[in-house]
Amino acid sequence: MQRREFLKAAGLGAAGTALAAPAIAQGAPELKWRLTSSFPKALDTIYGAAETFAKYIREGSDGKFDIQVFAAGEIVPGGAAAADAAAAGTVEMCHTASYYNWGKDPTFAFATAVPFGLNSRMQNAWMYFGGGIELMNEFYAKHGLVGLPGGNTGAQMGGWFRKEINTVEDLKGVKMRIGGFGGKVASKLGVVPQMIPGGDIYPALEKGTIDATEWVGPYDDEKLGFFKVAPYYYYPGWWEGGAMLHFMFNQAKYNELPPAYKSLVFTAAQAANSDMQAKYDAFNPAAIKRLVAGGAQLRPFSQEIMDACFKAAVETYDEISATNADFKKVYEAMKAYRAEEYLWFQVSEATYDNFMFGKQRAGEL
Ligand code: CA
């Protein structure tokens, strides 16, 4: 959805242009907000997006709109607790992955990533120009929230395995730390999903309490050292082909913002959104080289595994759609968008990239 349309939908319309003198004063009040992040500071790319957002808001309001950023655990725990705190008004807003809330309703997952969903370019296209922001906000309104895109990791890695996984049979009984909705789909193939906080994954993997873990991608995974205890590094993370983060606002607090601040919030979120993807694209190449030098063994998931996972994902979508009207509505919108985007992307984008990948492998770049 376009910015102008979102602002209009948010009830702004022409009000933003009525700049009588008192309106200017009202338009830039001194505000102090608190933002709780679902993430620790150690995840500097993801956590950093909230700092980037707050910085642009502060600078763009001449210091009048001040948003203090708190890491997970400082005032509110991480994960799904961040959106709960924003909805309850404990804090005015949060920075989170919408899919952390999938246990309340799986519809939350579409704003972040769903198995075999959109890549990061397509997710942006859907959100900003395909009605995604509007559709998700219809849903978020039922939970007292307003949400805006706030970062993307790009396609994540499939994660670290202690043993090689070649066939669908090999997945049976694998205890894997895998977040949310992806775990639900993987469980159809016999994977036993485990939800373990970041700091506890390494010891669980080392002891063999779990057999595998996914996290994000090379830059973030490297810091947690998984390659030392589970060397097989699989790709792609088919459950997170372009995982998008969100800024979520307490609905009443958001609605109280003057038009100028709503505009600033939208623009700062959009800046943080593109900033994060650029950082991952900048930092991952060196990180994956260091990981491989350190002993990581890169392995693509086999075609058999990918096909079986795709089938399991489609079955899961159909099952949930049968009982959840919100889920069905957003799924069908995403699905239609995905078909069109993958039609276009295979023409010029994929052809260009595939040609250039060949040149890279031939050492000609
Ligand atoms: Ca992940």
Side-chain angles (χ1 to χ4, degrees), residues 99 156-157 177 179 214-216 239-240:
Y99 70 5
Q156 296 196 5
M157 289 292 281
R177 184 271 176 203
E214 61 88 37
W215 185 238
V216 182
W239 52 95
E240 288 171 295

Short mmCIF file of all heavy atoms in Angstrom, two decimals, residues 99 156-157 177 179 214-216 239-240, ligand 1:
data_model
loop_
_atom_site.label_atom_id
_atom_site.label_comp_id
_atom_site.label_asym_id
_atom_site.label_seq_id
_atom_site.Cartn_x
_atom_site.Cartn_y
_atom_site.Cartn_z
N TYR A 99 5.21 -12.91 13.48
CA TYR A 99 4.91 -14.34 13.62
C TYR A 99 5.20 -14.90 15.01
O TYR A 99 4.81 -16.03 15.29
CB TYR A 99 5.55 -15.19 12.53
CG TYR A 99 7.05 -15.37 12.53
CD1 TYR A 99 7.87 -14.88 13.53
CD2 TYR A 99 7.66 -16.06 11.47
CE1 TYR A 99 9.24 -15.06 13.50
CE2 TYR A 99 9.02 -16.25 11.43
CZ TYR A 99 9.80 -15.75 12.45
OH TYR A 99 11.16 -15.92 12.41
N GLN A 156 16.49 -16.68 4.87
CA GLN A 156 17.30 -17.21 5.97
C GLN A 156 17.90 -18.56 5.58
O GLN A 156 17.53 -19.16 4.57
CB GLN A 156 16.46 -17.31 7.24
CG GLN A 156 16.00 -15.94 7.72
CD GLN A 156 15.52 -15.94 9.16
OE1 GLN A 156 15.58 -16.93 9.87
NE2 GLN A 156 15.00 -14.78 9.58
N MET A 157 18.82 -19.02 6.40
CA MET A 157 19.42 -20.33 6.19
C MET A 157 18.51 -21.39 6.83
O MET A 157 17.75 -21.09 7.75
CB MET A 157 20.82 -20.40 6.79
CG MET A 157 21.86 -19.57 6.03
SD MET A 157 22.24 -20.20 4.36
CE MET A 157 23.37 -21.57 4.72
N ARG A 177 15.27 -26.96 16.93
CA ARG A 177 14.81 -25.65 17.39
C ARG A 177 14.40 -24.90 16.12
O ARG A 177 15.24 -24.59 15.26
CB ARG A 177 15.95 -24.93 18.13
CG ARG A 177 15.54 -23.59 18.73
CD ARG A 177 15.73 -22.47 17.75
NE ARG A 177 15.24 -21.22 18.29
CZ ARG A 177 14.86 -20.17 17.54
NH1 ARG A 177 14.92 -20.23 16.23
NH2 ARG A 177 14.43 -19.08 18.10
N GLY A 179 11.48 -21.86 14.83
CA GLY A 179 10.48 -20.90 15.30
C GLY A 179 9.10 -21.13 14.70
O GLY A 179 8.98 -21.47 13.52
N GLU A 214 17.68 -23.84 13.70
CA GLU A 214 17.77 -22.75 12.73
C GLU A 214 17.82 -21.47 13.56
O GLU A 214 17.37 -21.43 14.69
CB GLU A 214 16.58 -22.76 11.76
CG GLU A 214 15.20 -22.59 12.41
CD GLU A 214 14.78 -21.15 12.58
OE1 GLU A 214 15.09 -20.34 11.71
OE2 GLU A 214 14.15 -20.83 13.61
N TRP A 215 18.41 -20.44 12.97
CA TRP A 215 18.43 -19.15 13.66
C TRP A 215 18.11 -18.08 12.63
O TRP A 215 16.94 -17.86 12.33
CB TRP A 215 19.79 -18.97 14.37
CG TRP A 215 19.92 -17.74 15.22
CD1 TRP A 215 20.86 -16.75 15.08
CD2 TRP A 215 19.11 -17.37 16.35
NE1 TRP A 215 20.67 -15.80 16.05
CE2 TRP A 215 19.62 -16.15 16.83
CE3 TRP A 215 18.01 -17.95 16.98
CZ2 TRP A 215 19.06 -15.47 17.92
CZ3 TRP A 215 17.44 -17.29 18.07
CH2 TRP A 215 17.97 -16.08 18.53
N VAL A 216 19.11 -17.49 12.00
CA VAL A 216 18.80 -16.48 10.98
C VAL A 216 19.60 -16.79 9.71
O VAL A 216 19.12 -17.42 8.78
CB VAL A 216 19.10 -15.05 11.50
CG1 VAL A 216 18.72 -14.01 10.44
CG2 VAL A 216 18.33 -14.76 12.80
N TRP A 239 11.01 -21.73 5.29
CA TRP A 239 9.94 -21.14 6.11
C TRP A 239 10.15 -19.64 6.31
O TRP A 239 9.30 -18.96 6.85
CB TRP A 239 9.83 -21.85 7.47
CG TRP A 239 11.15 -21.95 8.20
CD1 TRP A 239 11.60 -21.09 9.15
CD2 TRP A 239 12.17 -22.93 8.01
NE1 TRP A 239 12.86 -21.48 9.57
CE2 TRP A 239 13.23 -22.61 8.89
CE3 TRP A 239 12.31 -24.05 7.18
CZ2 TRP A 239 14.40 -23.37 8.95
CZ3 TRP A 239 13.47 -24.79 7.26
CH2 TRP A 239 14.50 -24.46 8.14
N GLU A 240 11.33 -19.15 5.86
CA GLU A 240 11.61 -17.72 5.99
C GLU A 240 12.36 -17.20 4.76
O GLU A 240 13.53 -16.85 4.83
CB GLU A 240 12.41 -17.45 7.28
CG GLU A 240 11.54 -17.61 8.51
CD GLU A 240 12.33 -17.57 9.80
OE1 GLU A 240 13.15 -18.47 10.03
OE2 GLU A 240 12.12 -16.63 10.57
CA CA B 1 14.78 -18.15 11.63
#
